[in-house]
Amino acid sequence: MKESPRYLVIGAGHGGKAMAAHLALKGFAVALYNRTPEHIEAIRVRGGIHLESYPGGPAGFGELGLITSNMQDALAHADVVMVVVPSSGHADIARDAAPHLRDGQIVLLNPGRTGGVLEFVKVLRDLECEADVTVAEAETLIYASRSEGPAQARIFRIKDAVPLAALPSGRTARVLEVLGSAYPRFIDGVSVLHTSLNNMGAIFHPALALLNAARIESTGGGFQFYIDGVTPSVGRILEALDRERVTVASAIGIRARTALEWLRMAYDASGEDLHEAIHNQSGYYGIKGPVTLNHRYVTEDVPMSLVPIAALGQRYGVSVRAMDSIIRLACIVHRTDYWRRGRTLEKLGIEQLSVGELKRFVAEGGRDDR
Amino acid sequence: MKESPRYLVIGAGHGGKAMAAHLALKGFAVALYNRTPEHIEAIRVRGGIHLESYPGGPAGFGELGLITSNMQDALAHADVVMVVVPSSGHADIARDAAPHLRDGQIVLLNPGRTGGVLEFVKVLRDLECEADVTVAEAETLIYASRSEGPAQARIFRIKDAVPLAALPSGRTARVLEVLGSAYPRFIDGVSVLHTSLNNMGAIFHPALALLNAARIESTGGGFQFYIDGVTPSVGRILEALDRERVTVASAIGIRARTALEWLRMAYDASGEDLHEAIHNQSGYYGIKGPVTLNHRYVTEDVPMSLVPIAALGQRYGVSVRAMDSIIRLACIVHRTDYWRRGRTLEKLGIEQLSVGELKRFVAEGGRDDR
């Protein structure tokens, strides 16, 4: 791409607003899409988003070229589509976008959770979308940010070294190249199986919420979520879940990072075990619990993170009894079938694949017929 | 039995001391056995136990005829053997007692938890104990009591209407008759399957402890166990466990009480659901959480209550996924295999039985060869 890429940000929540404003302040042409017009009315009236951040960070008014709830208009002038919505919305975005996507466009899920790209591409394929689009997923949202008003956002931190991967993996380099002018901190995540299986939220969020269920509900989240919420016993359960995740990865030939390695890498927080390492991460001090169990830590991370990892385990012969226990408790608490609502291998379009076929699919396959 | 029965109390903990002193104050001949001599040394020196209780309740010095760590001596002069030890000790008691039991003796497990009589009788049979002993179990400990010193105990409450059942069920009437002079509040529990499957501790204790694991460990139990620990979400998990228990009972032809019915019956505490009924039970207010997860709520109630119920479910085709989740979490937290350590159907000696055979076994079978 010779010229500066034109961005479309989909989703005007905590992450989407920060990203749209930040990209605009960097000088890129930016459109913002949100399904519900009321949610972006204040931004439309002002013509952009006011951004604040940490000392020395990006700040100012980010002017947006287009603010719309019309997907066709939104996609018409975009080279890169940054999807910044809860992962439970990825399939809907794919369905809405499918008729309007064009050859050469890049779609990046920020983040994909587990299986985001696979689900997105499956929906496009089912809808017979012919456009040669590259769909990729980031391992985590690059911002720690918050919406601070209808047309205001604040960035607390921009993360270092966020891995991303495209489907097929061979296209990751091109995504990194196109996004490089805006986001030099994205790095090669190897494959969408790697980004999906290195999803640490799958390990931390549902178990911590459920094992502190009564405390969340009886105090409205009035305790330190990680510091009070992770004790030696809870740490052992997190370790069991993490061991299962790493073993599932291993069964499909992937060396995933352990949560302990990730804490050391991302936060320089080390320890003998997860309980210790979490208590050695100063960033966790002061973070309160969610005010309710109806929180994305359960409603999103169980079906979109834990279910697909557990489903891979069941398919490829790895015992995932700890994951199954947590998923089961979530189903009971929310009186819903998170297995059915979640990213099963059918929804990811990979239920028929052997390990070898799965690896070839993410490396080479993408959307061509098999 | 024409004369007043002679009692042996096995176990000098919170329950055993209260029971021994109470029986002695009622005028019965009472021996007290405890495996560890040091634990009963103060009682031996004084010759008995000082009992206090609620206004109008039993109080005074209960003189004991024999205080010993020798099982043979202990059993020599007893007509009724009251076993008041954690259920994880039942098999050991059976092993130690087997060579010394005599025809006509009654052994009552206070309480049996789930499968107490079946396990006890299986051990006697394995050791080829020939004595015609009647083994029975109470559904719960008849006392709410506490040890208040080496030779002191306090009774807070004596429960109304505690069901008990013998193996075979036809012998329950005789047990009630012999115990009636001391304990008119025991009632006919129908069969040991009924007493075992109406074990409410199986539902409440492990789930409440594990779903409040972090809170127990980070506060040392500094919260109201039932009142703060049972919120709507935790209530739904208790209900799922309870539904499984009642369904397991149903699969073997037993109409078990639901926890909601039990709360209404035992405490006149009613409500739309378990969360509401528990909050309507004034007795639960002020009860603190355990100070550690290394507590019998997990270490005893998982292997001795939840595992045998779940094992019956698996054997007779009932899905017990909620129970399995709780058992699994307990295994992880305590790095132990509670399935292996617990009361499996093999340990209860019933793994080969069809439903019909099981029902006949508890109704008629007992210890005769099959």
Side-chain angles (χ1 to χ4, degrees), chain B residues 12 19 23 96 99 114-115 128 149 155 162 166 174 177-178 195 205 213 217 247 260-261 283 285 294 300 306 315 337:
Chain B
M19 183 178 279
L23 284 167
D96 294 347
T114 298
E128 296 173 358
I155 293 174
V162 173
R174 181 170 164 269
E177 188 193 330
V178 172
T195 46
H205 295 160
E217 291 186 316
T247 308
L260 209 54
E261 289 168 345
Y285 286 80
N294 285 316
E300 179 182 2
L306 214 41
R315 173 73 174 84
D337 186 346

Side-chain angles (χ1 to χ4, degrees), chain A residues 215 217-218 231 233 236 333, chain B residues 215 217-218 231 233 236 333:
Chain A
R215 202 179 205 175
E217 292 187 316
S218 70
T231 57
S233 288
R236 283 195 284 277
V333 160
Chain B
R215 202 179 206 175
E217 291 186 316
S218 70
T231 57
S233 289
R236 283 195 284 277
V333 160

Side-chain angles (χ1 to χ4, degrees), chain A residues 210-215 217-219 227-234 236-241 243-244 273 293 319 321-322 324-329 331-335 339, chain B residues 210-215 217-219 227-234 236-241 243-244 273 293 319 321-322 324-329 331-335 339:
Chain A
L210 288 162
L211 295 168
N212 287 283
R215 202 179 205 175
E217 292 187 316
S218 70
T219 69
I227 299 308
D228 300 330
V230 180
T231 57
S233 288
V234 172
R236 283 195 284 277
I237 292 172
L238 297 180
E239 282 164 8
L241 292 165
R243 208 156 43 233
E244 290 181 355
D273 54 28
L293 268 185
S319 166
R321 290 176 63 189
D324 197 51
S325 298
I326 295 297
I327 294 168
R328 182 69 193 152
L329 294 178
C331 292
I332 295 168
V333 160
H334 285 154
R335 299 191 200 278
W339 279 104
Chain B
L210 288 161
L211 294 168
N212 287 284
R215 202 179 206 175
E217 291 186 316
S218 70
T219 69
I227 299 308
D228 300 331
V230 180
T231 57
S233 289
V234 171
R236 283 195 284 277
I237 292 171
L238 298 180
E239 282 164 9
L241 293 164
R243 210 156 40 234
E244 290 181 356
D273 54 28
L293 269 185
S319 167
R321 292 176 62 190
D324 196 52
S325 298
I326 295 297
I327 293 167
R328 182 70 192 150
L329 294 178
C331 292
I332 295 168
V333 160
H334 285 154
R335 299 190 201 280
W339 279 103

Side-chain angles (χ1 to χ4, degrees), chain B residues 9-224:
Chain B
V9 174
I10 291 186
H14 296 293
K17 281 202 261 190
M19 183 178 279
H22 187 204
L23 284 167
L25 285 167
K26 279 174 178 272
F28 293 97
V30 182
L32 178 66
Y33 167 91
N34 197 84
R35 187 168 51 181
T36 311
E38 294 73 39
H39 288 178
I40 45 172
E41 179 60 17
I43 301 171
R44 208 189 50 73
V45 168
R46 295 204 205 177
I49 293 167
H50 186 79
L51 181 70
E52 294 185 63
S53 74
Y54 51 89
F61 185 75
E63 196 177 325
L64 304 176
L66 177 67
I67 298 139
T68 182
S69 294
N70 182 305
M71 184 65 87
Q72 184 169 10
D73 293 351
L75 285 168
H77 303 287
D79 302 307
V80 178
V81 181
M82 300 293 261
V83 178
V84 197
V85 303
S87 50
S88 32
H90 287 167
D92 285 340
I93 300 289
R95 258 184 292 276
D96 294 347
H100 313 299
L101 287 166
R102 293 189 324 274
D103 285 356
Q105 284 182 316
I106 289 171
V107 175
L108 178 65
L109 308 177
N110 292 276
R113 304 293 171 200
T114 298
V117 164
L118 293 174
E119 185 184 37
F120 201 100
V121 165
K122 168 75 158 60
V123 172
L124 296 187
R125 197 166 54 215
D126 288 351
L127 294 174
E128 296 173 358
C129 170
E130 302 276 338
D132 182 16
V133 175
T134 299
V135 186
E137 67 186 22
E139 201 177 287
T140 181
L141 179 60
I142 198 163
Y143 299 104
S145 60
R146 191 162 63 197
S147 168
E148 296 210 319
Q152 287 91 34
R154 177 183 296 275
I155 293 174
F156 299 103
R157 197 162 76 84
I158 302 175
K159 292 173 196 165
D160 297 328
V162 173
L164 67 73
L167 181 71
S169 304
R171 292 192 176 189
T172 300
R174 181 170 164 269
V175 174
L176 288 172
E177 188 193 330
V178 172
L179 269 79
S181 54
Y183 294 108
R185 292 179 181 201
F186 279 127
I187 61 171
D188 186 346
V190 185
S191 83
V192 295
L193 294 177
H194 288 75
T195 46
S196 285
L197 284 162
N198 279 319
N199 174 4
M200 296 297 158
I203 303 308
F204 288 113
H205 295 160
L208 268 188
L210 288 161
L211 294 168
N212 287 284
R215 202 179 206 175
I216 288 168
E217 291 186 316
S218 70
T219 69
F223 64 100
Q224 297 190 81

Side-chain angles (χ1 to χ4, degrees), chain A residues 110-360:
Chain A
N110 292 276
R113 303 296 171 197
T114 297
V117 164
L118 293 173
E119 185 185 36
F120 202 99
V121 165
K122 168 74 158 58
V123 172
L124 296 187
R125 196 167 55 217
D126 287 350
L127 294 174
E128 296 173 359
C129 169
E130 301 277 337
D132 182 17
V133 175
T134 299
V135 186
E137 67 186 22
E139 201 177 287
T140 181
L141 179 61
I142 198 163
Y143 299 104
S145 60
R146 193 162 62 198
S147 168
E148 296 210 318
Q152 287 91 36
R154 177 182 295 274
I155 293 173
F156 298 104
R157 198 162 74 85
I158 302 175
K159 292 173 195 165
D160 296 329
V162 173
L164 67 74
L167 182 71
S169 305
R171 293 192 175 188
T172 301
R174 180 168 164 271
V175 174
L176 288 172
E177 189 192 330
V178 173
L179 270 78
S181 53
Y183 294 108
R185 293 179 179 198
F186 279 127
I187 61 171
D188 186 346
V190 186
S191 82
V192 295
L193 293 178
H194 288 75
T195 47
S196 285
L197 284 163
N198 279 320
N199 174 6
M200 295 298 158
I203 304 309
F204 288 115
H205 294 161
L208 268 187
L210 288 162
L211 295 168
N212 287 283
R215 202 179 205 175
I216 287 169
E217 292 187 316
S218 70
T219 69
F223 64 100
Q224 297 190 79
F225 190 55
Y226 292 92
I227 299 308
D228 300 330
V230 180
T231 57
S233 288
V234 172
R236 283 195 284 277
I237 292 172
L238 297 180
E239 282 164 8
L241 292 165
D242 198 52
R243 208 156 43 233
E244 290 181 355
R245 177 183 61 82
V246 172
T247 308
V248 170
S250 189
I252 53 177
I254 287 174
R255 166 79 175 83
R257 275 189 298 281
T258 67
L260 209 55
E261 289 168 346
W262 174 78
L263 279 164
R264 197 159 45 225
M265 192 194 76
Y267 299 114
D268 200 27
S270 58
E272 281 295 297
D273 54 28
L274 270 184
H275 170 252
E276 203 176 301
I278 283 168
H279 284 248
N280 285 341
Q281 210 290 72
S282 59
Y284 284 144
Y285 286 80
I287 297 180
K288 294 282 180 188
V291 298
T292 162
L293 268 185
N294 285 316
H295 188 276
R296 66 179 176 81
Y297 285 174
V298 179
T299 57
E300 179 181 1
D301 279 308
V302 171
M304 300 292 143
S305 299
L306 213 40
V307 162
I309 298 175
L312 284 167
Q314 291 178 346
R315 172 74 175 82
Y316 299 113
V318 176
S319 166
V320 286
R321 290 176 63 189
M323 290 189 182
D324 197 51
S325 298
I326 295 297
I327 294 168
R328 182 69 193 152
L329 294 178
C331 292
I332 295 168
V333 160
H334 285 154
R335 299 191 200 278
T336 191
D337 185 346
Y338 278 122
W339 279 104
R340 190 172 45 73
R341 286 183 44 190
R343 283 180 175 158
T344 55
L345 302 194
E346 290 73 21
K347 287 196 190 144
L348 303 185
I350 57 174
E351 78 278 17
Q352 304 287 350
L353 305 186
S354 69
V355 168
E357 289 168 331
L358 177 64
K359 297 196 75 169
R360 200 169 61 220

